[in-house]
Amino acid sequence: MEMERGKTIRLLLAMALLVLSSRVIKAEAETSHSEIDRKLKQLNKPAVKTIKSEDGDTIDCVDIYKQPAFDHPALKNHTIQMRPSFEIASNSSNAKNESVSHSILPQTWQRSGSCPEGTIPIRRILRKDLLRATSLENFGRKPPAQPSYAGNITGSPNLHSKSINNTEINFGPQVNRSTAILLTEAYSYVGATGDINIWNPNVESQDEYTTAQIWLKAGPGDNFESVEAGWMVNPRLYGDKRTRLFALWTRDSYKSTGCFDLTCTGFVQTSTAVALGAPIEPLSSEGGQQFQLSFGIFLDPNSGNWWLKISKTVPIGYWPPNLFSLLTHSAKLVEWGGEVYSSKIKKAPHTTTAMGSGEFARNLYGNACYIQNVRIMDYSLMLKYPEWVQTYASEEYCYSAYNYIKGYGTEPVFYFGGPGRKPPYCP
Ligand SMILES: *[C@@H]1O[C@H](CO)[C@@H](O)[C@H](O)[C@H]1NC(C)=O
Ligand SMILES: *[C@@H]1O[C@H](CO)[C@@H](O)[C@H](O)[C@H]1NC(C)=O
Ligand SMILES: *[C@@H]1O[C@H](CO)[C@@H](O)[C@H](O)[C@H]1NC(C)=O
Ligand SMILES: *[C@@H]1O[C@H](CO)[C@@H](O)[C@H](O)[C@H]1NC(C)=O
Ligand SMILES: *[C@@H]1O[C@H](CO)[C@@H](O)[C@H](O)[C@H]1NC(C)=O
Ligand SMILES: *[C@@H]1O[C@H](CO)[C@@H](O)[C@H](O)[C@H]1NC(C)=O
């Protein structure tokens, strides 16, 4: 009898505990539900018009004055600048590859409609997009960088450093990241451009990404500021493996500020025609026709805004100077090239996520991904090929970098990329 009662009590206790803990779990689920709802409401502004794209995206045309940027505390009284106050003077005496003339900016969604004047197209964020993020706070961010750009390292050069005009630039060792880049340092830069070849490299898993891009940076390696743009395959952020346009900023090496596209407040968009984060087309094919887009980032000398231009004529929008403390007057380091993010970097088996076209840099035009018409702008406000450049590849047997000069008097074309895992080179 006594034993029976003991058993019953224990059973009842266990049941009570079960009910209690399931209530706790349910309550937790409910709060995160409402947190997700709040975040979605904050991200997706009311649409004047909505466009359903064939690629599955929903594009909201949002009143330009009601875009996410204006939720940023530093932009409360911000007066929108509709156009850059300057024309970019290009030094066209430099060699150009005239056979590639596809420098317009076609995006899939544009076939299904266009946004009215006074609105900007914004890729709608869905609940499932937020659920794929490692956390709500991390949604739209690059994972934090390890101390990379230390600049001016005195002492002996090491495995991860490159010397430009007697200045050592230290890149590593990076964790979970592999880069193959062209870089320049020595001046104060107020702009940089490059025509980036467009491909659709393989990405192995959801928590990896691959980019082809330009970086303009300032500050120490453990806390740099950066504005970036290019194309990217990033299934965690976008939910598929398409090649998409991106723009990104940070003021603390991606730790807690800034984000891609308009997934947080900061970037002020002015273009009615181009949606950040939307797929771009057409893609280049091996041995076939090559397509490219011209990416440029310029500091407006009057407003201090960093303008993003894609294609020769289209200003997309800008990052206001209030977002930064060092990038307010100039950038100190410019990089062109690719980055792969994966936890299987410098490990065997290495990730099979590819960079660029998936081919090594020395395979050159039509096979490897290129960036041509590499230009910087200094205080002379002229676009020019940088005086000092270096290439750097953190795993050159997986992803390589090659600044190729075809012949005397011709300008170099930067090739980069690789397949990732490919034994015996990259085991
Ligand atoms: C915006 O303007 C108000 C009133 O002039 C001022 O009190 C506030 O500090 C300003 N905010 C910012 C972020 O500049
Ligand atoms: C254009 O570039 C050439 C050579 O790079 C240089 O000699 C010339 O002065 C430049 N023109 C202008 C207007 O800056
Ligand atoms: C320019 O394009 C042609 C073919 O389209 C190609 O053969 C040539 O190598 C290219 N030049 C450079 C510098 O990329
Ligand atoms: C770079 O090194 C030089 C000489 O060692 C030093 O005078 C200068 O202050 C350093 N600059 C920075 C930014 O650390
Ligand atoms: C390049 O290095 C030389 C010698 O160290 C120095 O005199 C010159 O100012 C440097 N140039 C730039 C642009 O930093
Ligand atoms: C690298 O990736 C692994 C797996 O996602 C993660 O646990 C680790 O924290 C990352 N390391 C750094 C330094 O970001």
Side-chain angles (χ1 to χ4, degrees), residues 201-218:
N202 171 56
V203 170
E204 185 181 290
S205 73
Q206 184 180 276
D207 44 6
E208 307 187 346
Y209 66 72
T210 183
T211 74
Q213 63 169 110
I214 301 179
W215 292 257
L216 284 92
K217 293 180 176 175

Side-chain angles (χ1 to χ4, degrees), residues 268-337:
V268 179
Q269 186 169 330
T270 54
S271 170
T272 299
V274 173
L276 292 172
I280 45 177
E281 55 186 28
L283 303 167
S284 306
S285 59
E286 211 170 314
Q289 209 174 349
Q290 299 303 301
F291 298 94
Q292 66 182 34
L293 276 176
S294 170
F295 287 85
I297 299 177
F298 304 95
L299 186 69
D300 189 315
N302 297 315
S303 61
N305 294 329
W306 281 99
W307 276 90
L308 170 63
K309 272 187 135 188
I310 302 177
S311 199
K312 294 286 179 251
T313 51
V314 192
I316 309 294
Y318 57 86
W319 294 278
N322 322 40
L323 302 175
F324 307 107
S325 61
L326 301 166
L327 271 180
T328 42
H329 296 105
S330 64
K332 299 295 182 201
L333 175 70
V334 183
E335 301 168 4
W336 295 259

